[in-house]
Amino acid sequence: MKILLIGEKGQLAWELIRTLMPIGEVIPVDYPAFDITNKSQIEDTVSVIQPDLVINASAYTDVDGAESERERAMAVNAEGPGRLAQICHTGRIPLIHYSTDFVFDGTKRTPYVETDTPNPINFYGVSKLKGELAIQATTDSYLIFRLAWLYSARGNNFVNKFLEWAKKYETIKVVDDQIGNPTWARFVAEATTAILAQSLCSGEPLVDWVRQRAGVYHLTSDGEASRYDWACKIWEYASNREQLRVKEVLRAKSIDFPTPAARPAYSPLDCEKIYSSFSLTIQNWINHLRHHLFQ
Ligand SMILES: NC(=O)c1ccc[n+]([C@@H]2O[C@H](COP(=O)([O-])OP(=O)(O)OC[C@H]3O[C@@H](n4cnc5c(N)ncnc54)[C@H](OP(=O)(O)O)[C@@H]3O)[C@@H](O)[C@H]2O)c1
């Protein structure tokens, strides 16, 4: 199986390159050599590579930047995926795409299920939701996995940022009024691979197998936490504790740290649908974090 993987240098794609290797030939591409906003470049790449599957792990992920760079966010997160879906549909190629918990407004008090109505409160969320809708309107052989609060060894994620702050400051304030699912990118990559492995075992053409299961699925590490809870666990399990200056992590409120983009106060995702559809093993976010920090 030939897999065209878009977004090569991103934190999720970096994990996918490794987990997908046993089940196929992965051909990674990334900006600027490959630009998802450029239709003819997508067409040329697909026509040269002739993939059996396309995975789009690229995105404009700067949540605050998206407020001022709206056109760019929309082009990368919505229009590009829509065009990609069109090309996949024409070529009968299944598409895997990733979205976000930020499609929700955060006013619920129990985890969001796939049938809950999205209502993004920032432009990043708007652009990602438009991407989901563009794919759904264009092709029928697709899987959209909504992720949340992603971290890995690479990238500008909260775990890496906290560890940097912890080396510099004795006191760190972290908000306790944003609740979500800290999610290990390696787990998402492994789950994506496990799902694809099931399709290979079925013996059915992948495009048909995906079509029968097409839809939006929530996919996160299990369990919810505030950013403050998350920070405390990163500190507790950090493997380089002797290099850290931090002596206390204090609770703060989002109002103390104004940002250009609003964040949902409560955006945990209920993952029952993906766990039961694909018999995935549920793993708690604290176990994932410990595993990640002990590597
Ligand atoms: N990070 C999170 O907390 C989070 C939470 C929920 C959902 N998600 C979703 O999960 C997926 C993976 O996120 P991630 O954190 O791995 O993202 P990431 O680390 O920011 O990587 C995204 C990749 O896409 C590339 N890219 C940007 N514009 C492009 C373009 N025009 N054409 C081709 N590639 C382009 C980026 O290249 P440059 O670096 O050169 O721009 C980067 O390599 C995304 O769909 C994201 O929306 C992420």
Side-chain angles (χ1 to χ4, degrees):
M1 173 163 64
K2 257 191 194 176
I3 305 168
L4 173 62
L5 175 63
I6 303 171
E8 177 180 6
K9 297 191 292 285
Q11 54 177 343
L12 175 57
W14 193 77
E15 299 288 350
L16 281 166
I17 289 171
R18 279 140 193 87
T19 58
L20 290 169
M21 238 179 244
I23 65 160
E25 180 192 354
V26 184
I27 297 125
V29 294
D30 208 338
Y31 187 81
F34 174 93
D35 184 351
I36 199 171
T37 69
N38 183 329
K39 185 175 180 224
S40 59
Q41 218 170 42
I42 307 176
E43 281 168 341
D44 293 349
T45 305
V46 168
S47 127
V48 169
I49 293 172
Q50 304 245 319
D52 303 297
L53 168 71
V54 174
I55 300 183
N56 179 29
S58 75
Y60 180 105
T61 53
D62 179 350
V63 176
D64 288 319
E67 295 300 314
S68 49
E69 284 199 293
R70 291 187 170 209
E71 274 183 29
R72 182 88 196 136
M74 197 57 93
V76 177
N77 292 344
E79 291 152 16
R83 283 192 207 105
L84 179 67
Q86 181 63 61
I87 291 161
C88 286
H89 185 66
T90 307
R92 287 182 45 80
I93 306 165
L95 172 65
I96 293 183
H97 176 81
Y98 299 94
S99 188
T100 172
D101 56 327
F102 280 15
V103 298
F104 295 115
D105 60 17
T107 53
K108 227 183 143 187
R109 284 296 164 260
T110 53
Y112 284 90
V113 291
E114 288 81 353
T115 47
D116 284 326
T117 307
N119 181 31
I121 58 170
N122 57 46
F123 200 76
Y124 168 73
V126 169
S127 67
K128 291 295 290 183
L129 177 59
K130 290 215 166 171
E132 289 185 8
L133 297 173
I135 291 168
Q136 290 173 295
T138 313
T139 186
D140 54 5
S141 183
Y142 71 89
L143 298 170
I144 295 174
F145 299 143
R146 283 193 190 132
L147 318 176
W149 292 22
L150 211 57
Y151 64 89
S152 73
R154 292 160 65 93
N156 186 29
N157 57 67
F158 183 74
V159 174
N160 287 347
K161 277 194 231 170
F162 180 84
L163 290 172
E164 280 309 307
W165 298 332
K167 281 184 202 157
K168 287 189 201 151
Y169 308 114
E170 293 194 349
T171 299
I172 301 173
K173 290 184 183 172
V174 182
V175 301
D176 68 0
D177 56 357
Q178 289 174 27
I179 317 281
N181 307 111
T183 298
W184 192 19
R186 179 162 317 159
F187 162 71
V188 173
E190 283 172 350
T192 304
T193 306
I195 289 168
L196 287 169
Q198 289 178 23
S199 80
L200 294 182
C201 293
S202 78
E204 254 183 275
L206 185 59
V207 68
D208 297 331
W209 192 90
V210 171
R211 185 183 300 109
Q212 284 156 26
R213 292 155 182 83
V216 173
Y217 295 84
H218 292 171
L219 175 58
T220 69
S221 298
D222 191 46
E224 58 187 57
S226 70
R227 288 211 179 252
Y228 169 81
D229 299 330
W230 191 10
C232 291
K233 288 293 174 198
I234 300 167
W235 185 25
E236 184 178 344
Y237 295 126
S239 54
N240 58 342
R241 289 182 69 85
E242 68 292 344
Q243 295 168 20
L244 305 184
R245 285 189 67 200
V246 64
K247 296 209 166 23
E248 56 180 0
V249 178
L250 301 179
R251 292 175 183 274
K253 298 292 171 202
S254 301
I255 201 165
D256 301 326
F257 297 99
T259 49
R263 264 70 172 175
Y266 182 87
S267 60
L269 302 178
D270 181 317
C271 298
E272 185 49 39
K273 179 181 169 189
I274 197 163
Y275 290 144
S276 57
S277 303
F278 300 105
S279 310
L280 297 180
T281 311
I282 302 174
Q283 283 260 12
N284 185 267
W285 71 270
I286 298 174
N287 288 342
H288 278 163
L289 181 67
R290 287 181 70 171
H291 209 118
H292 167 69
L293 290 171
F294 275 126
Q295 302 182 86

